[in-house]
């Protein structure tokens, strides 16, 4: 992987980890810095989310500072210049899911464009 690709993947990983941080999630302004204006998500429930609906959930304390989301096996690949796909396993207080997100580089930095979660045993 080239240095440029490695930096792109690391920027997406850094953004993903910030979005999982309870302090960041509690701040709509900080979450908005990381979500693309065209962001969509298909959650583990099958529900489709957009920026507005995600802000309602994240600002409501969906991740507890006492029990942060446990992440493992995070990896990323550059799909095209300025586009990174991440996959990882997340455990949020026993609710385990494989997660996938697409990050794209914008004029204001790396932002999550799409996210999906799939429950697992």
């Amino acid at each position: 992987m080239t240095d440029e690709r490695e930096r792109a993947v690391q920027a997406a990983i850094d953004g993903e980890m910030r979005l999982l941080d309870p302090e960041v999630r509690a701040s709509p302004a900080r979450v908005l810095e990381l979500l693309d204006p065209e962001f969509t998500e298909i959650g583990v429930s099958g529900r489709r989310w957009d920026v507005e609906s995600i802000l309602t959930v994240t600002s409501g304390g969906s991740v507890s500072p006492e029990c942060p989301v446990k992440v493992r096996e995070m990896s990323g690949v550059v799909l095209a210049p300025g586009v990174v796909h991440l996959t990882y396993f997340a455990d949020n207080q026993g609710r385990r899911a494989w997660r996938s997100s697409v990050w794209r580089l914008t004029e204001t930095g790396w932002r999550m464009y799409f996210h999906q979660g799939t429950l697992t045993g």
Side-chain angles (χ1 to χ4, degrees), residues 38-52:
E38 297 176 18
F39 169 82
T40 59
E41 175 175 338
I42 300 171
V44 295
S45 66
R47 179 177 175 185
R48 188 175 175 97
W49 302 83
D50 60 13
V51 172
E52 188 175 308

Side-chain angles (χ1 to χ4, degrees), residues 46-61:
R47 179 177 175 185
R48 188 175 175 97
W49 302 83
D50 60 13
V51 172
E52 188 175 308
S53 58
I54 281 294
L55 287 176
T56 300
V57 171
T58 57
S59 63

Side-chain angles (χ1 to χ4, degrees), residues 4-5 8 77-85 102-106 110:
E4 184 177 330
R5 288 178 175 263
V77 63
V78 174
L79 298 177
V83 180
V84 172
H85 178 231
V102 175
W103 288 77
R104 68 179 179 180
L105 185 57
T106 68
W110 286 93

Side-chain angles (χ1 to χ4, degrees), residues 6 13 16 21 23 38 40 55 58 60 65 86 96 100 114:
E6 288 174 4
I13 289 172
E16 191 83 36
D21 182 317
E23 288 183 30
E38 297 176 18
T40 59
L55 287 176
T58 57
L86 296 180
R96 297 181 300 269
S100 174
F114 177 79

Side-chain angles (χ1 to χ4, degrees), residues 17-102:
M17 296 306 292
R18 283 194 306 274
L19 278 173
L20 292 170
D21 182 317
E23 288 183 30
V24 171
R25 293 173 73 87
S27 168
R30 291 175 73 187
V31 171
L32 279 174
E33 291 173 358
L34 296 166
L35 295 182
D36 191 278
E38 297 176 18
F39 169 82
T40 59
E41 175 175 338
I42 300 171
V44 295
S45 66
R47 179 177 175 185
R48 188 175 175 97
W49 302 83
D50 60 13
V51 172
E52 188 175 308
S53 58
I54 281 294
L55 287 176
T56 300
V57 171
T58 57
S59 63
S62 60
V63 175
S64 164
E66 294 80 29
C67 298
V69 176
K70 296 175 188 158
V71 174
R72 62 184 168 96
E73 299 181 45
M74 186 174 288
S75 64
V77 63
V78 174
L79 298 177
V83 180
V84 172
H85 178 231
L86 296 180
T87 57
Y88 62 98
F89 182 83
D91 184 334
N92 186 5
Q93 300 180 39
R95 187 172 188 182
R96 297 181 300 269
W98 283 105
R99 303 241 173 221
S100 174
S101 58
V102 175

